[in-house]
Amino acid sequence: NLLEFLPEETVQSAVVFTGEAEFKTPVPDGVYELADFIVRVKDCTTEVMSQNRLQFCVGRIETARLAVSGQTDIEHIQSLERRHGSA
């Protein structure tokens, strides 16, 4: 919602796994192991926004994010557990 002014195709979601992750099923689109993600990013050569627009977007996200703290981490984990159950 913070970036609603951007065309939909400007922002792409990605999930990146590092370490020893092994997929037991086919890997869905938008999910990468780190090395594959690096290749994907390097292949993206088309500029989709100016440096000024990018800085504006980063500023919007930074002003809306929660404080970086141990308490925020605890609250995030508790929220996940309420929504998805504890592990």
Side-chain angles (χ1 to χ4, degrees), residues 23-34:
F23 292 96
K24 304 210 183 325
T25 62
V27 180
D29 289 340
V31 177
Y32 304 90
E33 291 180 345
L34 183 57

Side-chain angles (χ1 to χ4, degrees), residues 13-83:
S13 297
V15 175
V16 181
F17 286 90
T18 61
E20 303 297 319
E22 281 188 38
F23 292 96
K24 304 210 183 325
T25 62
V27 180
D29 289 340
V31 177
Y32 304 90
E33 291 180 345
L34 183 57
D36 296 329
F37 183 68
I38 291 170
V39 170
R40 170 79 172 111
V41 170
K42 287 182 176 181
D43 284 346
C44 295
T45 57
T46 304
E47 184 175 292
V48 295
M49 70 177 76
S50 69
Q51 187 70 27
N52 285 342
R53 177 59 59 102
L54 177 62
Q55 289 173 341
F56 178 78
C57 292
V58 169
R60 269 212 164 168
I61 293 169
E62 286 181 343
T63 59
R65 78 177 186 183
L66 299 173
V68 177
S69 71
Q71 184 59 36
T72 302
D73 293 347
I74 291 168
E75 290 171 9
H76 176 65
I77 291 168
Q78 290 171 343
S79 171
L80 292 172
E81 288 175 344
R82 281 192 302 275
R83 287 188 295 172

